[in-house]
Amino acid sequence: MVDKGKTDQAKGKAKEAVGKVTGNDRLKAEGRTDQAKGKAKEALTEAADRARGVQDSLRDDRDRRDRT
């Protein structure tokens, strides 16, 4: 699965660079926005992964207690 956050960040960097070269302020702003969206998606994915890890850990602890 492609990491959508990283893809958005790369796309944003490219847009921002093109905007700088061409002097297009709107394109630079779009690039910065895309980068921020990518970082937000990445943070959300990381938080969800951590939550799944905690949930799995709690489930494992409960299973161990149930067996004794």
Side-chain angles (χ1 to χ4, degrees):
M1 183 161 116
V2 174
D3 184 357
K4 208 55 168 138
K6 292 287 186 189
T7 303
D8 286 340
Q9 288 179 49
K11 179 177 73 170
K13 282 192 181 287
K15 275 187 182 179
E16 186 177 9
V18 170
K20 283 181 183 178
V21 169
T22 61
N24 185 332
D25 291 335
R26 183 171 154 239
L27 196 56
K28 283 193 291 188
E30 283 181 22
R32 283 190 223 110
T33 300
D34 287 345
Q35 289 179 62
K37 284 180 187 177
K39 288 178 183 177
K41 285 180 185 179
E42 194 172 30
L44 183 62
T45 299
E46 288 173 8
D49 289 346
R50 269 188 254 120
R52 271 197 258 2
V54 168
Q55 184 180 19
D56 290 346
S57 176
L58 292 173
R59 187 179 304 122
D60 290 346
D61 287 346
R62 187 179 60 225
D63 290 345
R64 271 187 240 120
R65 277 184 274 142
D66 290 345
R67 282 186 228 143
T68 58

